[in-house]
PDB file of all heavy atoms in Angstrom:
ATOM      1  N   MET L 815     -22.829 -76.837  75.847  1.00 96.00           N
ATOM      2  CA  MET L 815     -23.637 -76.164  76.865  1.00 96.00           C
ATOM      3  C   MET L 815     -24.048 -77.127  77.970  1.00 96.00           C
ATOM      4  O   MET L 815     -24.022 -76.792  79.150  1.00 96.00           O
ATOM      5  CB  MET L 815     -24.850 -75.504  76.217  1.00 96.00           C
ATOM      6  CG  MET L 815     -24.468 -74.392  75.241  1.00 96.00           C
ATOM      7  SD  MET L 815     -25.877 -73.435  74.646  1.00 96.00           S
ATOM      8  CE  MET L 815     -26.298 -72.478  76.110  1.00 96.00           C
ATOM      9  N   TYR L 830     -34.961 -61.549  73.600  1.00 96.00           N
ATOM     10  CA  TYR L 830     -35.665 -60.345  74.055  1.00 96.00           C
ATOM     11  C   TYR L 830     -34.867 -59.585  75.122  1.00 96.00           C
ATOM     12  O   TYR L 830     -35.156 -58.423  75.418  1.00 96.00           O
ATOM     13  CB  TYR L 830     -37.051 -60.709  74.593  1.00 96.00           C
ATOM     14  CG  TYR L 830     -37.044 -61.456  75.908  1.00 96.00           C
ATOM     15  CD1 TYR L 830     -37.137 -60.770  77.123  1.00 96.00           C
ATOM     16  CD2 TYR L 830     -36.902 -62.844  75.945  1.00 96.00           C
ATOM     17  CE1 TYR L 830     -37.112 -61.449  78.327  1.00 96.00           C
ATOM     18  CE2 TYR L 830     -36.880 -63.528  77.145  1.00 96.00           C
ATOM     19  CZ  TYR L 830     -36.981 -62.830  78.325  1.00 96.00           C
ATOM     20  OH  TYR L 830     -36.947 -63.507  79.519  1.00 96.00           O
ATOM     21  N   GLY L 859     -24.659 -39.846  62.726  1.00 95.00           N
ATOM     22  CA  GLY L 859     -25.954 -40.443  63.025  1.00 95.00           C
ATOM     23  C   GLY L 859     -25.913 -41.488  64.122  1.00 95.00           C
ATOM     24  O   GLY L 859     -26.819 -42.314  64.239  1.00 95.00           O
TER      25      GLY L 859
END
Side-chain angles (χ1 to χ4, degrees):
M815 296 188 73
Y830 70 93

